[in-house]
DNA sequence: GAAGTGTGTGAGTGCACACTTACAAACAAA
DNA sequence: TTTGTTTGTAAGTGTGCACTCACACACTTC
């Protein structure tokens, strides 16, 4: 009995976020996340109910980390205006996704929303983040909308590698985006 | 000889956009697009170089249609200011993606950008659209950036089905977005 | 009508992968 | 020490799917 099942679950979940982030749900065999977690494929099937159960749990972990980072970022805001708090939240999010895993996992999850459970999981994640952003920052609907619009733009920039493109149109799209 | 190969190619390409849009690259067998196009699987392999070749060609067709719609929309602008032209382009884009196929295909393509050829195809698509938007509308970098940010937000709204969510946070994110 | 060319398919082949089962070893309680 | 429980795995099994190949049909040209 080298580890408790619960402890295993969280380590597997975090590696699952990283592994699924690269190639997505359908293209990554559970063997890959098992190997990355250092356990056998059979055991991750015992820990989670099927590949889909693993992916859904990973989605939960992903949004947990995002929500925690944004909440922590809000605490470090320079002032109390919605603009300042939103700015601090945006900065925290930008730092968080510097390693790309959380960001890429989100786009992978969005791509599999034809599976209803995945759609609901993503919805739940955004519900949590959006309601927190709005209430904590005291921001208007339009400000919240803008916050998420530029967040989504950030997803495009990273997946397509726009920061590496030295052409004017790419520089226009990436202008002012914090170091993703 | 019921049809020329070139004519087949374009019909297969359009059905491929629709079929890949639902479940994505890895989850849709080429049998599915062959069946939807009404031909045998073996023949689509003769028409295109592998599943990846088919997907890349479909991506080209997808961005072709998007670029054409935006260009046509710009012609119908009410005036000459960047704001008016951008607005007309946005409206044309919103109409185009009413059937969801072109939009969903884009998010599926973004999810497979770990395949370098796909990343390059998506990059080429956005290069074409972004340079046209900027030059045709005479818009500033910030305006172009905003145009694409809200376009990406639109992708989130549709994939997650936010229009169907009657909660305040969802209404904030979807406010003012044209009937996606 | 024979030969050539382009369009189209049925029937495989081989492999990757989701998921199971039977079994083993560590630890706890009696 | 024995019995039971939990953690862990090796070795399958069945299926779905990318891709191929040999072959057939349509149509043209001579």
């Amino acid at each position: 009995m080298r580890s408790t099942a619960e402890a295993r679950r969280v380590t597997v979940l975090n590696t699952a976020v990283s592994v699924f982030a690269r190639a997505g749900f359908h293209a990554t065999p559970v063997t890959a996340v098992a190997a990355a977690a250092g356990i056998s494929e059979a055991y991750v099937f015992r820990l989670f109910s099927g590949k889909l159960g693993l992916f859904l749990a990973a989605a939960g972990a992903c949004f947990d980390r995002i929500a925690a980072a944004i909440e922590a970022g809000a605490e470090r805001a320079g002032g109390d205006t919605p603009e300042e708090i939103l700015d601090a939240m945006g900065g925290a999010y930008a730092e968080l996704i510097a390693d790309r895993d959380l960001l890429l996992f989100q786009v992978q999850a969005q791509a599999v929303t034809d599976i209803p459970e995945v759609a609901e999981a993503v919805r739940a994640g955004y519900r949590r983040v959006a309601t927190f952003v709005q209430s904590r920052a005291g921001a208007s609907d339009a400000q919240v909308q803008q916050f998420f619009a530029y967040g989504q733009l950030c997803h495009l920039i990273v997946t397509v590698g726009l920061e590496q493109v030295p052409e004017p149109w790419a520089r226009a799209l990436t202008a002012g985006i914090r170091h993703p």
Side-chain angles (χ1 to χ4, degrees), chain A:
Chain A
M1 204 186 287
R2 305 187 67 78
S3 174
T4 103
E6 204 45 47
R8 279 292 188 204
R9 250 185 271 263
V10 322
T11 69
V12 171
L13 241 34
N14 282 322
T15 68
V17 169
S18 296
V19 178
F20 278 128
R22 327 263 187 225
F25 178 71
H26 293 290
T28 77
V30 332
T31 315
V33 3
I39 64 176
S40 71
E41 184 194 13
Y43 195 39
V44 353
F45 275 104
R46 174 166 297 178
L47 290 174
F48 300 92
S49 60
K51 187 184 183 179
L52 180 59
L54 172 63
F55 189 82
L56 293 174
C62 172
F63 282 107
D64 278 352
R65 287 164 61 185
I66 291 172
I70 289 183
E71 293 178 19
E75 296 305 314
R76 297 196 300 271
D80 306 37
T81 71
E83 290 75 13
E84 285 169 313
I85 299 181
L86 283 175
D87 192 68
M89 287 172 167
Y93 183 66
E95 280 178 42
L96 184 71
I97 62 179
D99 69 354
R100 299 172 40 124
D101 281 351
L102 293 175
L103 185 150
L104 292 177
F105 187 94
Q106 284 180 83
V107 344
Q108 297 298 352
Q110 273 187 48
V112 203
T113 43
D114 62 317
I115 303 172
E117 296 96 319
V118 175
E120 179 50 38
V122 176
R123 219 150 32 219
Y126 276 100
R127 173 162 38 230
R128 175 170 171 186
V129 175
T131 56
F132 175 79
V133 166
Q134 180 145 40
S135 68
R136 179 66 171 79
S140 68
D141 281 8
Q143 283 175 315
V144 174
Q145 186 180 46
Q146 184 186 40
F147 182 82
F148 281 92
Y150 282 81
Q152 297 297 307
L153 175 64
C154 195
H155 294 189
L156 172 67
I157 291 170
V158 172
T159 54
V160 188
L162 280 194
E163 328 92 89
Q164 315 300 340
V165 179
E167 303 161 28
W169 65 276
R171 303 237 324 288
L173 291 187
T174 59
I177 301 290
R178 281 169 277 208
H179 85 323

